[in-house]
Amino acid sequence: MNTFHSIAADVQLGAHVRLSQFINLYGCSIGDESRIGAFVEIQKNASVGKRCKISSHSFICEGVAIEDNVFIGHGVTFVNDTYPRATRPDGSPQTEADWKVERTLIRKGASIGSGATILANVTVGENSIVGAGSVVTRDVPANTVVAGNPARVLRSLAAPAAGEEPAPIPFLDLVTPHRELERELTTVFQQALHTAGFVGGPVVERFERNFAVFCHAEHAIAVSSGTDALRFAILACGVQPGDVVVTVPNTFIATAEAISQAGAAPEFVDVDEHTSNLSPALLEEYLSTQCTRNSAGQLISLRSGRPVTAVIPVHLYGQMADMDAILALAAQYGLAVLEDACQAHGAEYFSRKLDRWMRAGSMGAAAAFSFYPGKNLGACGEGGAVTTNDAALAARVRMLRDHGQSRKYHHDVEGYNGRLDAIQAGILDVKLPHLDEWNAQRRARAVEYNRLFAAHDALLLPHEPSWSRAVYHLYVVRTADREGLTEHLRKAQIGTAIHYPIPLHLQKAYASLGYKPGDFPVAEKLAAEIVSLPLFPHLTGEQQARVADAIRVFASDKAEPHALEESALVSAPKNA
């Protein structure tokens, strides 16, 4: 020891502790073989474990517990009060008695980069790494790398032991984003308990305002599911029982269910093979050759004899349909356009007519969104929303979701119990500010897949037209040997899914519509070839490389490669 130390008598030092000059220690404990750099202060009731290194100019405040083998970089600052104040409410200076010390725990083997700030009531997990200059506002999971302000998980450090199989790659990771936002999400639940605000109220209204802004729409009405959102939009836009609503056969059944449950009948139009979305050319063919006008000028389906009053393009997999062309046809034939945007939160479309980018949910008479947990913006349960620029339509949806009430116990129409609860609205409002970033990460992962698969002639990649900015809810490729590929990936512990294996016109639930195989050849062809690969914001480059390597092995192992028809080949998009 030397005269440049300031070490109080109550400090507990372990064996072989190394102390630099100009340090200030009081009321703390430091374990065996730890090293403390110059100009470090460690306050009372703080503890440093064994074999730690605390670099110069770092500040370890009261309430911080550092376990063994931890590295603390230069100039790291800890905070031990969430809401520090200089004075009391009466204006008098605060004293030590006013200070509320909150615990902070740094688990063994963790590393904190230089210049980082660790806020109060945080646990930094075992063997994790906090990047230099980061601001840690929430718990850091074990074996992860975090960085930024606020710090976010960049990747996992978990590595297989010698001879051990690599960790499985999930099709979707719903754990990591919720761990990152755990404190904010928990606060939502606590606030609901403290206020008893469980249904409706300011939390729901705030999310509605924020989601409308996000979608570039005038109104957003939160409802209990994406299915309810679409059903209420159909009813609110004036579709009558017995009407025909046109949509596509390659979508989740909720699209057609919403039509049927609103009292209308779905009729299908095939899709564009490259985008998998509603084909404007085939929609025009349907309207001009499979419909007629009655004496009142009403558009009538020749197939069913019913009035055709609306069309629902589905923004499948997170890419918007060609809305300019669809809206032009709808205007020509007097149809309402309702966007099924349940997979397209934040997707964008360049309108040649308006000469600007438009967001999903802002172009049709109304749009439906789902907040099912696996969506780009997912609740921790069920949820949905209708967006619209029509104030009267928005008012009708609000009545429909709440038993047809215009005000309490005044029921103007027979409605439904389709409200979004306040806890789910609060959860969605916490997540919403992160959605643009998550979508950008999905797009970056799609670009990387495109690069990795550029030489794979056994795969067809997603096609993104120049007028589209997709948000890649799913990354869907096509292969002639779908069963062989998915089984190969399953054995390699790589998750996959199929969206969707049976087109709606061939589903047993819609047998009464009288469609048969061959009626929609593109949708049927896609259904036999599509496979969705792992894609989520926190997917790592290493994981994507493993997926690509496994597919490369599968292709090379085939005695006769199952390449798709040359005419169907779609190159990787240049603007993804």
Side-chain angles (χ1 to χ4, degrees):
M1 303 237 177
N2 61 57
T3 58
F4 296 105
H5 295 143
S6 177
I7 302 175
D10 56 358
V11 172
Q12 301 176 29
L13 295 178
H16 308 296
V17 172
R18 294 173 56 186
L19 303 175
S20 298
Q21 298 184 45
F22 309 111
I23 60 175
N24 184 22
L25 311 177
Y26 58 97
C28 61
S29 64
I30 300 174
D32 298 347
E33 302 181 79
S34 286
R35 294 171 289 169
I36 311 299
F39 300 100
V40 168
E41 178 170 332
I42 305 179
Q43 294 186 332
K44 67 179 182 179
N45 300 321
S47 63
V48 176
K50 299 177 181 179
R51 297 174 297 279
C52 294
K53 180 178 180 181
I54 312 298
S55 302
S56 65
H57 297 86
S58 287
F59 174 69
I60 316 297
C61 60
E62 180 179 2
V64 175
I66 297 174
E67 294 185 349
D68 299 342
N69 307 321
V70 168
F71 171 82
I72 305 292
H74 299 279
V76 172
T77 299
F78 289 82
V79 178
N80 61 6
D81 194 328
T82 301
Y83 302 106
R85 293 288 187 269
T87 59
R88 299 188 181 110
D90 63 4
S92 62
Q94 282 200 358
T95 68
E96 188 173 333
D98 299 305
W99 199 261
K100 178 186 176 184
V101 174
E102 297 175 316
R103 301 290 293 173
T104 299
L105 176 61
I106 311 300
R107 293 287 190 185
K108 65 181 181 180
S111 295
I112 313 296
S114 296
T117 300
I118 315 298
L119 297 191
N121 196 26
V122 161
T123 296
V124 176
E126 186 173 330
N127 296 319
S128 58
I129 297 175
V130 175
S134 298
V135 178
V136 177
T137 61
R138 60 177 68 90
D139 291 350
V140 175
N143 301 301
T144 57
V145 177
V146 303
N149 180 8
R152 304 194 183 286
V153 175
L154 300 183
R155 61 186 178 91
S156 172
L157 290 172
E164 186 180 332
E165 290 292 324
I169 299 175
F171 173 69
L172 179 63
D173 176 13
L174 292 181
V175 174
T176 300
H178 292 103
R179 288 194 309 194
E180 287 187 354
L181 298 174
E182 184 173 355
R183 179 182 294 180
E184 292 95 325
L185 298 176
T186 302
T187 299
V188 168
F189 180 66
Q190 291 171 334
Q191 289 174 342
L193 292 180
H194 296 163
T195 63
F198 300 117
V199 178
V203 175
V204 175
E205 293 167 2
R206 182 174 65 244
F207 170 67
E208 289 176 330
R209 289 193 300 271
N210 291 338
F211 190 65
V213 170
F214 176 84
C215 295
H216 302 173
E218 293 295 323
H219 308 277
I221 308 94
V223 298
S224 56
S225 70
T227 309
D228 271 354
L230 193 54
R231 176 154 47 106
F232 297 164
I234 292 168
L235 292 167
C237 80
V239 172
Q240 298 297 311
D243 286 358
V244 165
V245 177
V246 181
T247 191
V248 293
N250 63 326
T251 180
F252 184 57
I253 195 171
T255 308
E257 280 179 332
I259 296 169
S260 301
Q261 292 168 6
E267 291 192 10
F268 301 115
V269 168
D270 214 343
V271 295
D272 178 270
E273 185 172 354
H274 289 177
T275 66
S276 301
N277 281 332
L278 177 63
S279 166
L282 295 177
L283 176 62
E284 182 175 25
E285 180 183 323
Y286 167 87
L287 295 172
S288 61
T289 66
Q290 299 180 46
C291 298
T292 189
R293 299 277 186 183
N294 64 13
S295 58
Q298 195 173 29
L299 190 69
I300 303 295
S301 165
L302 294 173
R303 188 174 195 282
S304 63
R306 299 170 179 238
V308 182
T309 56
V311 57
I312 300 178
V314 178
H315 302 325
L316 196 66
Y317 306 150
Q319 177 162 272
M320 290 182 68
D322 190 354
M323 290 299 292
D324 277 352
I326 293 168
L327 288 166
L329 286 168
Q332 180 181 345
Y333 286 91
L335 307 178
V337 177
L338 304 173
E339 301 172 63
D340 183 337
C342 289
Q343 299 182 1
H345 316 65
E348 294 183 323
Y349 172 86
F350 186 80
S351 169
R352 285 84 78 193
K353 179 179 179 181
L354 300 175
D355 194 32
R356 61 189 174 97
W357 288 95
M358 305 288 290
R359 276 206 163 169
S362 67
M363 298 193 72
F369 290 86
S370 167
F371 302 128
Y372 186 75
K375 304 297 185 183
N376 290 32
L377 179 64
C380 293
E382 296 282 0
V386 176
T387 59
T388 182
N389 295 317
D390 184 330
L393 192 152
R396 290 194 291 273
V397 172
R398 289 191 180 95
M399 282 198 297
L400 287 168
R401 74 172 175 182
D402 193 19
H403 301 284
Q405 295 183 106
S406 56
R407 55 194 174 97
K408 196 168 183 67
Y409 303 132
H410 290 252
H411 304 271
D412 292 8
V413 296
E414 183 179 358
Y416 302 83
N417 182 1
R419 300 172 297 236
L420 180 68
D421 71 72
I423 291 175
Q424 297 301 340
I427 287 168
L428 290 165
D429 209 40
V430 166
K431 290 182 172 185
L432 184 59
H434 305 281
L435 183 53
D436 279 329
E437 179 186 349
W438 289 339
N439 284 342
Q441 290 172 320
R442 287 176 178 271
R443 285 182 59 80
R445 300 280 66 81
V447 169
E448 178 63 7
Y449 268 144
N450 292 338
R451 185 188 70 80
L452 291 168
F453 297 141
H456 279 286
D457 60 0
L459 291 182
L460 296 186
L461 306 184
H463 175 62
E464 188 173 4
S466 60
W467 40 258
S468 171
R469 289 177 183 159
V471 292
Y472 289 96
H473 171 61
L474 298 166
Y475 186 89
V476 181
V477 298
R478 292 169 56 192
T479 176
D481 187 8
R482 199 238 323 272
E483 287 68 26
L485 177 60
T486 55
E487 176 61 16
H488 177 81
L489 294 177
R490 184 191 67 79
K491 290 178 179 177
Q493 299 190 77
I494 295 171
T496 61
I498 302 172
H499 300 88
Y500 300 93
I502 304 173
L504 294 185
H505 69 288
L506 300 180
Q507 294 280 0
K508 184 177 179 181
Y510 291 109
S512 62
L513 297 179
Y515 290 109
K516 62 186 185 301
D519 282 346
F520 304 103
V522 177
E524 292 171 33
K525 180 179 181 180
L526 294 174
E529 296 173 349
I530 52 176
V531 57
S532 302
L533 299 180
L535 186 74
F536 44 89
H538 296 87
L539 185 70
T540 67
E542 292 90 341
Q543 289 174 316
Q544 288 190 280
R546 273 183 56 198
V547 174
D549 287 343
I551 292 175
R552 190 176 299 112
V553 169
F554 170 76
S556 64
D557 283 349
K558 302 295 290 181
E560 296 180 5
H562 288 260
L564 295 174
E565 295 177 12
E566 185 69 25
S567 62
L569 285 175
V570 180
S571 61
K574 295 181 175 61
N575 64 326

